[in-house]
Amino acid sequence: MLINLKTVHKPAALADAVKLLAAPGVYPLYGGVALQRRSSPAVEEAVNLEQLGLDTAQDGENALVLGTMLTLEKARQACLARADEHPEARALAALLAAEQPETLRNTMTLGDLLVERDPQSLVLTLLLALGAVIERADVAVLLTTSSFLSVNEDVARYLLTGLRVPYGSPGGAIAWEKVARTPADAPIVGAVARVQAGADGGRFSALALCGVAPVPVGQPEVVRAYDETGDVDAALAHLELDPPDDHWGSRAYRAEMARVTARRALLRATNDAR
């Protein structure tokens, strides 16, 4: 409940939204889910983004561009339409369906999902592994998913307009693994790996983990070692983890499950890549 919300603006132009959001206490209203669940007393005014044309999905330059006002279900449908040709779209569609029930997918938007920065989100973990880029209009910059997740400020005030999901080269593969209380639950620890085979027989990999830090995190040193040596166990010695210690799992348990899920995801993606 937003106890201090007094005004909701509904601008017809992006420039007007940017101006409104420059004032303190003003937050963008993507779909409402993120702000309502957060229930922050700092929210005094909200900017409804419905009239700004941010609910489209289109193919850009070797990427799928999704507006932040798309509901998760519409984003999933856009990905399904491209799933046969692009494994990135197929993976995103699958994880969107697995992460949120259909009722919530029809109300929650991509903007909501991004600004919540859920540390257990496999969707965000996938976006990290894919090198997805987020468009931010209030300061006219492009943010890598990694930089967006790691910024130390209130991202709920950011005006995010689009998500660019790059398509990989043909023959690439994506795999994910998780450890959870039940198969339908959010992961206690999860891993997403992407592997693309190079023309010279080498590989180009990416690995990201969730449940081992305050936000999902990439593992560039692991993939650097893996691509150089092909030795997955030696590469996993480079894992950088700061797992919590809570009722879902101890720090030691999460660290061990990170190794297990990362290993499985990397090997499965490697086997599937061609």
Side-chain angles (χ1 to χ4, degrees), residues 208-240:
L209 301 173
C210 62
V212 297
V215 294
V217 288
Q219 298 294 323
E221 291 304 309
V222 173
V223 297
R224 178 193 57 77
Y226 184 53
D227 288 346
E228 287 180 357
T229 68
D231 187 331
V232 67
D233 293 312
L236 290 174
H238 297 276
L239 279 171
E240 296 181 1

Side-chain angles (χ1 to χ4, degrees), residues 197-211:
D200 59 355
R203 67 174 65 86
F204 304 92
S205 307
L207 175 68
L209 301 173
C210 62

Side-chain angles (χ1 to χ4, degrees), residues 18 39 51 77 117 142 160 187 190 231 258:
V18 170
S39 298
Q51 296 185 12
Q77 292 296 335
R117 296 198 297 184
L142 298 178
L160 308 178
D231 187 331

Side-chain angles (χ1 to χ4, degrees), residues 175-191:
W176 57 89
E177 295 283 342
K178 74 174 185 177
V179 174
R181 187 175 58 178
T182 75
D185 282 336
I188 299 171
V189 174

Side-chain angles (χ1 to χ4, degrees), residues 106-178:
N106 281 307
T107 55
M108 188 173 183
T109 65
L110 280 176
D112 287 323
L113 183 146
L114 290 171
V115 299
E116 281 198 324
R117 296 198 297 184
D118 183 352
Q120 295 176 286
S121 172
L122 273 175
V123 172
L124 291 180
T125 310
L126 172 66
L127 295 178
L128 264 177
L130 296 182
V133 173
I134 301 165
E135 300 171 350
R136 182 181 172 191
D138 48 332
V139 290
V141 298
L142 298 178
L143 298 168
T144 64
T145 305
S146 177
S147 64
F148 172 73
L149 290 175
S150 62
V151 69
N152 188 26
E153 61 183 24
D154 188 1
V155 299
R157 294 201 66 213
Y158 287 9
L159 179 50
L160 308 178
T161 55
L163 175 67
R164 295 177 178 266
V165 183
Y167 295 140
S169 60
I174 300 162
W176 57 89
E177 295 283 342
K178 74 174 185 177

